[in-house]
Amino acid sequence: MVTTARTVTGSLHSFDISTGVDGPGTRFVAFLAGCPLRCLYCHSPDTQFRRYGGLTTVADLLTEIRRYERFVKVAGGGVTISGGEPLQQAGFTREVLRGCKEMRLHTALDTSGFLGDRADDDLLDAVDLVLLDIKSGDPRTYAEVTRTGRLEPTVRFAHRLAERGKPIWVRFVLVPGLTDDPANVDAVAAVAAGVPTVERVEVLPFHRLGEQKYAALGLPFPLAGTPAPSVALLERVQGQFRDHGLTVY
């Protein structure tokens, strides 16, 4: 049974070691290839399609993680499964997370929650923390941002996580002229404040660091003329989340 699980294959785009970005401590971050959303501000268009990844087995990825096992443990970190959207490959993600728990590694799942219904109980049992990207709180803005998605599955997934006692760090990308409307921000804050296991909200300022990736793929960058948010705008939005009683970073 274990042998069969370890031969499950997935499309892996890449992996990296990060500190303080993808969960607590220093972490091994596996970026899976493939995502159902087409977010206007996506900085990694090369992770949107599975064909941009390489086929690998659960066993092979766990072997790579094991090389860093001691290092991330000493650094107070763990493993984060990101993307793309890891729940597009839910079976592969589940088995990798279960393998990480066997190594006694802290695990995090970085997801939009749009495919949350694909996460079975065994997968969630192997997750210590969910980094939940709430694109927008207004359904129309959510659809505009993602071009293919709906808000409701993310909200449903958040409440399911809370029912299972799973800690959540909410992430919200602040884009001037797109996600910064006060009503939209308040709607995101209301969703987060209504989920009792949300520990913090990270307001992530929009940037254009992925623009060269679009050029390399022969794609136009949808937000090429959009500036980064000003300090005043960032502080206003952070304040809106704090007004809802949330811890903000």
Side-chain angles (χ1 to χ4, degrees):
M1 186 100 176
V2 174
T3 302
T4 300
R6 295 293 161 87
T7 60
V8 172
T9 59
S11 182
L12 175 69
H13 176 271
S14 57
F15 67 86
D16 200 358
I17 302 297
S18 74
T19 300
V21 178
D22 301 285
T26 298
R27 309 189 70 79
F28 180 104
V29 185
F31 299 95
L32 305 191
C35 181
L37 305 181
R38 297 293 178 265
C39 296
L40 293 175
Y41 55 67
C42 179
H43 64 275
S44 297
D46 48 330
T47 66
Q48 291 180 355
F49 299 94
R50 291 198 193 187
R51 65 176 178 270
Y52 292 146
L55 198 64
T56 188
T57 65
V58 170
D60 287 342
L61 181 52
L62 290 176
T63 295
E64 195 65 50
I65 292 170
R66 196 168 284 110
R67 292 178 56 208
Y68 298 87
E69 177 185 356
R70 179 172 173 76
F71 173 67
V72 297
K73 282 181 177 177
V74 170
V79 174
T80 298
I81 308 299
S82 185
E85 172 51 66
L87 294 183
Q88 193 172 73
Q89 303 182 60
F92 180 78
T93 296
R94 178 186 63 241
E95 297 309 325
V96 173
L97 289 169
R98 292 174 72 175
C100 291
K101 295 311 295 179
E102 290 176 9
M103 286 184 255
R104 301 184 183 276
L105 287 166
H106 179 277
T107 58
L109 176 69
D110 184 4
T111 176
S112 71
F114 180 64
L115 298 179
D117 290 344
R118 294 192 179 187
D120 61 22
D121 290 346
D122 287 341
L123 188 155
L124 296 184
D125 285 344
V127 173
D128 294 313
L129 172 69
V130 176
L131 309 176
L132 186 62
D133 185 6
I134 303 183
K135 311 290 184 179
S136 282
D138 171 67
R140 285 177 296 182
T141 305
Y142 191 100
E144 180 183 0
V145 169
T146 63
R147 294 188 278 189
T148 57
R150 295 177 294 110
L151 171 62
E152 194 274 332
T154 297
V155 176
R156 183 170 64 244
F157 185 57
H159 285 283
R160 181 178 167 214
L161 292 171
E163 290 170 359
R164 300 183 66 83
K166 295 296 177 180
I168 300 170
W169 290 5
V170 167
R171 290 175 156 185
F172 172 69
V173 180
L174 175 59
V175 185
L178 181 63
T179 66
D180 61 339
D181 183 87
N184 182 55
V185 175
D186 270 336
V188 176
V191 170
V195 180
T197 58
V198 169
E199 295 183 342
R200 62 196 278 180
V201 175
E202 297 178 344
V203 180
L204 308 178
F206 165 74
H207 60 73
R208 297 197 298 268
L209 297 179
E211 199 163 357
Q212 292 184 343
K213 294 182 180 180
Y214 283 85
L217 294 171
L219 299 172
F221 182 49
L223 300 179
T226 303
S230 66
V231 172
L233 176 57
L234 180 60
E235 289 178 348
R236 187 264 286 172
V237 170
Q238 289 174 330
Q240 286 186 259
F241 282 103
R242 291 192 182 100
D243 287 345
H244 284 259
L246 295 159
T247 299
V248 183
Y249 287 81

